[in-house]
Amino acid sequence: SLPKKYHGFIDDMILEVKEKEEIFQRRALSELPQVDYVSDPITTRYIEHLYASLATNNHAYIYASLLACPFIYQQLAQDVRLDTIQEPLYREWFSLYQTTEAKQIQQLQEARLADFCQLEQCTLESCVPYFTQSMIDEVLFFAMPLHQEVTV
């Protein structure tokens, strides 16, 4: 089980999710027509990878797998100019990752990964395959809309 001193990061993640949900709620996305969802191979592969990471029971590997999602947004946000984004939802989404607080969170995530490595007596290098596979899945996930338009 996870030592008590690491429980705070779960609360931080919950707050981050709530903050992002507010954006979607303001856009009233829940009012869009409901469609039957058919899982695509990319999403299925990503979920399988996350379950495989969980199966290791190694907190460092699990955390490394989860870091790809915020990491890629943080990296994209560093390079994007908000004034070039026409869609307000995306502009607001990326603006969340351009704040000083977002940079501090990234530093905290990196420190927590190092803590988890110490806890599990493993190296950062041993986490690389878990993070890398998640990054590959994230890239494929980002590329999907370019190749497969979903219409409602």
Side-chain angles (χ1 to χ4, degrees), residues 49 61 64-65 124-136:
H49 165 64
Y61 298 163
S65 294
L124 284 171
E125 290 79 24
S126 69
C127 296
V128 168
Y130 296 91
F131 180 80
T132 301
Q133 184 59 55
S134 289
M135 284 298 292
I136 291 167

Side-chain angles (χ1 to χ4, degrees), residues 83-102:
D83 61 344
T84 64
I85 301 174
Q86 299 300 315
E87 171 56 48
L89 175 65
Y90 294 130
R91 188 172 42 253
E92 190 171 358
W93 182 266
F94 279 108
S95 72
L96 289 172
Y97 289 94
Q98 290 186 342
T99 64
T100 302
E101 182 183 41

Side-chain angles (χ1 to χ4, degrees):
S1 124
L2 192 61
K4 228 178 186 18
K5 75 176 190 172
Y6 296 108
H7 289 193
F9 89 92
I10 295 171
D11 296 331
D12 293 344
M13 293 175 88
I14 290 169
L15 286 174
E16 182 180 352
V17 167
K18 285 182 181 181
E19 183 177 83
K20 291 179 177 102
E21 283 177 348
E22 287 178 23
I23 294 171
F24 289 108
Q25 288 170 357
R26 286 196 305 272
R27 293 287 298 210
L29 294 180
S30 62
E31 296 173 14
L32 293 174
Q34 297 299 309
V35 296
D36 291 330
Y37 175 73
V38 178
S39 180
D40 60 89
I42 295 167
T43 303
T44 301
R45 168 67 200 121
Y46 199 0
I47 291 169
E48 288 172 354
H49 165 64
L50 294 175
Y51 277 123
S53 299
L54 282 170
T56 67
N57 289 321
N58 181 309
H59 295 94
Y61 298 163
I62 296 164
Y63 195 63
S65 294
L66 295 173
L67 282 180
C69 184
F71 178 82
I72 200 165
Y73 279 115
Q74 290 159 343
Q75 294 304 307
L76 288 171
Q78 287 177 13
D79 297 331
V80 73
R81 284 188 29 226
L82 294 177
D83 61 344
T84 64
I85 301 174
Q86 299 300 315
E87 171 56 48
L89 175 65
Y90 294 130
R91 188 172 42 253
E92 190 171 358
W93 182 266
F94 279 108
S95 72
L96 289 172
Y97 289 94
Q98 290 186 342
T99 64
T100 302
E101 182 183 41
K103 291 175 184 162
Q104 291 169 339
I105 289 170
Q106 184 176 10
Q107 292 169 345
L108 182 61
Q109 290 166 337
E110 292 169 6
R112 285 190 178 134
L113 180 57
D115 289 345
F116 282 133
C117 286
Q118 185 177 8
L119 173 74
E120 296 290 352
Q121 298 178 345
C122 63
T123 64
L124 284 171
E125 290 79 24
S126 69
C127 296
V128 168
Y130 296 91
F131 180 80
T132 301
Q133 184 59 55
S134 289
M135 284 298 292
I136 291 167
D137 293 334
E138 283 287 336
V139 168
L140 293 172
F141 189 74
F142 270 90
M144 189 172 37
L146 297 174
H147 305 289
Q148 172 187 338
E149 185 176 345
V150 178
T151 57
V152 180

